[in-house]
C-alpha cells in the first residue's frame, strides 16, 4: 500500500469488495489549455462544440487512473464509444490504467514530459489537487463547466462544488460517492456478540472499554487473541463526539482547527491527550494488539474480514460475514446523537490535464456520464444484461466474473461514483447502502471544507513531520507507552522536524482562504 501523504480517501476495498461489487510534478505550462477554456459561446455542449476537429476526427478522452484494467475493459470501452456516437458526441473514451506501485513515478513523468491525456484521477491522500494545481498539472475548469457541463454542475450540491475551489477557481470535479458526514464518528460492532453478552451499544468511551472487555472475555472461538481494530493513520473521531469541544477538525494528525477557525498543533491539545488516555487504558486491559505498529496489513485485513475485532473504527459492514462465520452480524453505531460532522468535503476527484489540446472533451464526457443513469451504469458497471442486471433503483445483480471471481468489468466506484446513481448487490449491508445513497441534511460542515492546504510551501518540514509522527507519536497515540513519560521528548522531536513551521503555514493559508471567501 502506498504510504499516505494526505488524508485517506479511498474506501477499504479489500474488506468491502465482496459486499460492494463496485468494490479498493515537474511544472508544465497550462496557458494553452486555459486559453482553450476561456471565452466563447455559453450554448449547450452539443451546440457549442462539434466534438471533432476540421477533418472530422474524434477528440480523445484519455482517463488516467490507478490499478489494473478489468478483463472486459476493451469490450466495454467499445460499447461506451458507440453510445457516445449515438448521443451525438464525437468523443473517444480510453481508460489508461497505471499500476499502483508506479503511480506517482509514471504520472509525474507523463505530466513533466507533456504526454497528452484529458483526465486524471486525484487521490487527495497521495497528491492532492492543490499540489497538481500549483505545479501546473491540472487547469481551472470554471469556463469549461459553464460551456459544456450543465448536467455535471447539477449532479453535485453547491457545497461540494465549493470544496473544489483553489484560490477562488474550480480545479477539479469532486467524486461525491459518499457523504463524508457519516464516516466521522462511526464505529462497527458485532451485533451478534452484543446480543450473546446481553450488552447494549456503548454510549461513552468508558462503556466502549467495558463492552470490549466483556466481548473479549467471552469470545466464541478458542483463539481469544482479538483486539480493537484501530485505523492507525486516522484520528479516532468517534471519541471526539463525546468531548465538550466537539466538533473540530484534525488534519493529518498534525493540525487542529476549531469551528471558530483557530489553528493549533493537534498533539498539543487537551483533546489529543484525552485520546491517548483512552488508548492507554485499552492497552493496559489488553484490548490493543501489542504488535499493532508492525502487524502486516494483510493480517489485519484477514482478521477483519472474518469479523475478528472487539469493535472496528469507522465502517466495516461486511455483507457476507454470515457466510464466513455462522450467525455473525455487524452494524454501525455512534456514541451519541450529536449532529454528524463533515471534517472534509471529498477525498477523491478528477482533474483536467494541462497537457490536453482539447480539455473541453474531458468536461463533455463527464457531463454525458452524469446526464443519464444509463450512461453512468455503462461506464461504472459495464454492459447491461451482460455484466450486470438492473434490480431497481440503486440495486444490481452481478452477472459475469473473471477467473479470479472478480467482476469481469467494473470501474472502482470511488473514482467516478455518485451518491444518487450508485448500484449495490443484494449481499451489500443495508446500512452501507443507506449511507452511500443518502445526504445527511443535518450535518455540520467544518470551517475547513473547501480549503486545500498546499504543503509544497513547507515540503521538507511536512514530510519530516509525517515521518517523525509515526516514530515518536504513534506509540503514544495508540497507548503503547505512557503519555506523561514519553510525550515531552516526542514533542521535542516533532518540533525539530518542523511542526511549528507547518502549522504556521497552514494557518497563514487558511486565514487567507477564509478572507477571500467572506
Amino acid at each position: 500500500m502506498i504510504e499516505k501523504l494526505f488524508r485517506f480517501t479511498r474506501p477499504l476495498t479489500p474488506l468491502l469488495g465482496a459486499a460492494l461489487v463496485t468494490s479498493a510534478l515537474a511544472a508544465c505550462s497550462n496557458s494553452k489549455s486555459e486559453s482553450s477554456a476561456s471565452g466563447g459561446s455559453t450554448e449547450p455542449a452539443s451546440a457549442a462544440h462539434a466534438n471533432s476537429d476540421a477533418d472530422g476526427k474524434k477528440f480523445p478522452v484519455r482517463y488516467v487512473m490507478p490499478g489494473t484494467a478489468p478483463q472486459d475493459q476493451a469490450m466495454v470501452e467499445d460499447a461506451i464509444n458507440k453510445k457516445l456516437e449515438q448521443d451525438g458526441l464525437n468523443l473517444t473514451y480510453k481508460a489508461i490504467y497505471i499500476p499502483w506501485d508506479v503511480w506517482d513515478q509514471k504520472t509525474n513523468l507523463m505530466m513533466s514530459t507533456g504526454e497528452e491525456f484529458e483526465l486524471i484521477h486525484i487521490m487527495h491522500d497521495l497528491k492532492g489537487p492543490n499540489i497538481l494545481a500549483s505545479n501546473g498539472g491540472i487547469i481551472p475548469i470554471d469556463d469549461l463547466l459553464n460551456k459544456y457541463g450543465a448536467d455535471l454542475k447539477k449532479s453535485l450540491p453547491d457545497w461540494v462544488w465549493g470544496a473544489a475551489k483553489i484560490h477562488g477557481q474550480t480545479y477539479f470535479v469532486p467524486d461525491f460517492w459518499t457523504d463524508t458526514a457519516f464516516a466521522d464518528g462511526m464505529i462497527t460492532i458485532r451485533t451478534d456478540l452484543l446480543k450473546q453478552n446481553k450488552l447494549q451499544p456503548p454510549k461513552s468511551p468508558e462503556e466502549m472499554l467495558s463492552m470490549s472487555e466483556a466481548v473479549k472475555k467471552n469470545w466464541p472461538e478458542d483463539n481469544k487473541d482479538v483486539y480493537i481494530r484501530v485505523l492507525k493513520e486516522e484520528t479516532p473521531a468517534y471519541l471526539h463526539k463525546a468531548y465538550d469541544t466537539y466538533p473540530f477538525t484534525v488534519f493529518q494528525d498534525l493540525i487542529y482547527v476549531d469551528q471558530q477557525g483557530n489553528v493549533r498543533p493537534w498533539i498539543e491539545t487537551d483533546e489529543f491527550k484525552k485520546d491517548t488516555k483512552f488508548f492507554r487504558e485499552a492497552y493496559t486491559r489488553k484490548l490493543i494488539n501489542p504488535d499493532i505498529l508492525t502487524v502486516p496489513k494483510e493480517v489485519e485485513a484477514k482478521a477483519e474480514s472474518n469479523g475478528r475485532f472487539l469493535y472496528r473504527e469507522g465502517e466495516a459492514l461486511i455483507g457476507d460475514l454470515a457466510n464466513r462465520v455462522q450467525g455473525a452480524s455487524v452494524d454501525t453505531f455512534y456514541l451519541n446523537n450529536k449532529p454528524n460532522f463533515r471534517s472534509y468535503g471529498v477525498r477523491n476527484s478528477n482533474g483536467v490535464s494541462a497537457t490536453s489540446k482539447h480539455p473541453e472533451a474531458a468536461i463533455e464526457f463527464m457531463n454525458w456520464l452524469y446526464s443519464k443513469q444509463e450512461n453512468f451504469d455503462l461506464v461504472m458497471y459495464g454492459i447491461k444484461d451482460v455484466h450486470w442486471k438492473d434490480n431497481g433503483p440503486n440495486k444490481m445483480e452481478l452477472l459475469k466474473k473473471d477467473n479470479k471471481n472478480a467482476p469481469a468489468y467494473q470501474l472502482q466506484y470511488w473514482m467516478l461514483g455518485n451518491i444518487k446513481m450508485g448500484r449495490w448487490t443484494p449481499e451489500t449491508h443495508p446500512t452501507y447502502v443507506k449511507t452511500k445513497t443518502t445526504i445527511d441534511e443535518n450535518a455540520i460542515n467544518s470551517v475547513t471544507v473547501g480549503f486545500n492546504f498546499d504543503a509544497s510551501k513547507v515540503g521538507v518540514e511536512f514530510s519530516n513531520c509525517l515521518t517523525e509522527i509515526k516514530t515518536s507519536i504513534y506509540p503514544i497515540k495508540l497507548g503503547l507507552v505512557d503519555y506523561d513519560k514519553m510525550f515531552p521528548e516526542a514533542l521535542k522531536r516533532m518540533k525539530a522536524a518542523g511542526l511549528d513551521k507547518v502549522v504556521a503555514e497552514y494557518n497563514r493559508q487558511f486565514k487567507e482562504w477564509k478572507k477571500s471567501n467572506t
Side-chain angles (χ1 to χ4, degrees):
M1 191 70 175
I2 303 174
E3 286 294 316
K4 295 187 170 222
L5 184 58
F6 288 84
R7 288 183 66 97
F8 180 81
T9 61
R10 296 172 301 287
L12 297 161
T13 47
L15 306 172
L16 296 174
L20 302 190
V21 176
T22 54
S23 179
L25 289 168
C28 52
S29 171
N30 62 1
S31 58
K32 180 188 294 184
S33 298
E34 289 184 10
S35 65
S36 298
S38 61
S41 170
T42 57
E43 298 176 68
S46 58
H49 186 233
N51 307 109
S52 60
D53 57 19
D55 62 5
K57 182 179 179 182
K58 293 181 179 181
F59 289 133
V61 180
R62 293 158 289 196
Y63 180 22
V64 176
M65 64 184 80
T68 305
Q71 172 186 291
D72 286 357
Q73 181 66 38
M75 177 195 301
V76 177
E77 280 187 10
D78 184 58
I80 291 170
N81 289 323
K82 286 180 179 177
K83 184 65 164 60
L84 286 166
E85 187 172 6
Q86 289 172 8
D87 290 346
L89 293 172
N90 289 326
L91 303 173
T92 300
Y93 170 78
K94 182 174 180 58
I96 301 174
Y97 279 90
I98 307 295
W100 280 104
D101 58 348
V102 295
W103 169 259
D104 242 6
Q105 178 185 2
K106 177 63 176 176
T107 53
N108 286 347
L109 183 63
M110 292 172 73
M111 290 183 174
S112 63
T113 59
E115 182 173 340
E116 291 184 24
F117 60 94
E118 282 63 49
L119 280 170
I120 183 168
H121 187 73
I122 304 172
M123 295 162 282
H124 297 209
D125 60 322
L126 299 181
K127 182 172 290 182
N130 49 323
I131 300 296
L132 295 175
S134 66
N135 286 340
I138 58 175
I139 63 170
I141 59 174
D142 291 287
D143 290 341
L144 294 173
L145 286 169
N146 289 335
K147 288 182 68 175
Y148 308 113
D151 290 315
L152 177 56
K153 290 172 69 175
K154 288 188 295 185
S155 71
L156 301 173
D158 290 342
W159 69 264
V160 175
W161 281 115
K165 291 188 179 295
I166 300 174
H167 303 308
Q169 294 180 292
T170 305
Y171 264 90
F172 56 87
V173 178
D175 283 346
F176 191 49
W177 63 273
T178 182
D179 186 350
T180 57
F182 290 112
D184 281 0
M186 182 184 288
I187 56 172
T188 302
I189 300 176
R190 285 273 302 270
T191 50
D192 60 310
L193 297 183
L194 285 180
K195 185 176 180 179
Q196 287 176 25
N197 288 279
K198 299 180 180 179
L199 297 169
Q200 295 296 316
K203 295 298 182 182
S204 68
E206 293 75 19
E207 288 185 12
M208 292 184 70
L209 292 174
S210 297
M211 176 203 71
S212 299
E213 208 165 33
V215 169
K216 180 163 187 169
K217 180 181 178 181
N218 300 314
W219 191 256
E221 300 170 359
D222 292 337
N223 180 2
K224 298 185 185 298
D225 287 336
V226 60
Y227 306 98
I228 297 169
R229 174 68 166 99
V230 179
L231 305 182
K232 297 184 285 291
E233 291 138 335
E234 301 284 331
T235 54
Y238 59 96
L239 295 178
H240 302 166
K241 252 196 168 185
Y243 299 168
D244 292 338
T245 52
Y246 174 86
F248 53 85
T249 302
V250 181
F251 174 73
Q252 284 295 101
D253 266 338
L254 295 176
I255 295 164
Y256 164 97
V257 186
D258 65 24
Q259 285 296 86
Q260 289 70 50
N262 299 306
V263 177
R264 297 176 58 196
W266 164 238
I267 61 174
E268 295 185 65
T269 65
D270 290 338
E271 290 82 0
F272 173 73
K273 188 174 182 179
K274 287 181 180 179
D275 287 356
T276 65
K277 182 179 179 181
F278 173 87
F279 281 99
R280 184 60 177 169
E281 181 64 21
Y283 179 75
T284 59
R285 296 193 196 185
K286 303 186 185 305
L287 307 176
I288 300 291
N289 187 341
D291 299 321
I292 189 172
L293 291 176
T294 57
V295 61
K297 289 182 181 293
E298 57 270 22
V299 173
E300 290 182 316
K302 182 178 180 180
E304 181 176 324
S305 67
N306 289 317
R308 287 186 57 81
F309 49 80
L310 303 177
Y311 72 82
R312 195 268 200 191
E313 296 183 336
E315 185 177 69
L317 295 171
I318 310 161
D320 64 344
L321 180 59
N323 296 332
R324 306 182 193 191
V325 182
Q326 186 176 3
S329 59
V330 291
D331 211 337
T332 55
F333 301 90
Y334 300 89
L335 289 186
N336 54 50
N337 294 323
K338 291 180 182 179
N340 289 331
F341 183 55
R342 291 189 191 95
S343 61
Y344 55 95
V346 295
R347 290 183 164 190
N348 294 77
S349 61
N350 290 287
V352 176
S353 173
T355 65
S356 175
K357 291 181 180 178
H358 295 284
E360 67 274 18
I363 298 301
E364 288 178 302
F365 173 77
M366 297 197 75
N367 189 70
W368 170 85
L369 170 69
Y370 296 112
S371 65
K372 293 181 180 180
Q373 182 73 47
E374 62 188 274
N375 299 342
F376 179 85
D377 289 338
L378 177 59
V379 174
M380 297 303 299
Y381 310 120
I383 301 169
K384 184 179 178 181
D385 296 326
V386 174
H387 295 102
W388 63 280
K389 178 183 178 181
D390 187 345
N391 284 353
N394 300 122
K395 298 178 181 179
M396 65 177 290
E397 178 184 343
L398 182 63
L399 297 180
K400 187 178 181 182
K401 296 184 178 182
D402 62 18
N403 57 10
K404 296 182 180 179
N405 205 38
Y409 175 85
Q410 201 168 92
L411 196 149
Q412 293 288 352
Y413 192 62
W414 44 266
M415 290 201 284
L416 283 175
N418 182 279
I419 199 167
K420 296 179 181 179
M421 306 173 82
R423 294 183 182 272
W424 311 97
T425 53
E427 67 269 23
T428 307
H429 196 289
T431 301
Y432 189 91
V433 175
K434 179 181 177 181
T435 61
K436 296 299 177 286
T437 57
T438 306
I439 297 175
D440 187 347
E441 302 293 351
N442 297 317
I444 300 170
N445 278 358
S446 168
V447 294
T448 65
V449 168
F451 170 65
N452 291 283
F453 176 50
D454 183 357
S456 65
K457 304 293 183 182
V458 284
V460 173
E461 292 82 3
F462 188 67
S463 178
N464 288 345
C465 284
L466 291 179
T467 300
E468 186 60 42
I469 204 167
K470 293 180 179 181
T471 301
S472 298
I473 298 300
Y474 274 20
I476 301 171
K477 168 185 173 178
L478 300 172
L480 304 181
V481 297
D482 182 74
Y483 175 94
D484 292 329
K485 291 180 180 179
M486 304 302 295
F487 183 71
E489 180 60 29
L491 181 60
K492 287 181 183 178
R493 294 178 67 88
M494 289 298 296
K495 298 282 190 183
L499 177 62
D500 289 338
K501 189 173 180 179
V502 171
V503 174
E505 178 60 24
Y506 183 103
N507 187 46
R508 182 190 69 78
Q509 292 183 31
F510 178 62
K511 293 294 190 290
E512 288 183 359
W513 172 79
K514 280 187 66 180
K515 185 177 180 180
S516 68
N517 284 274
T518 54

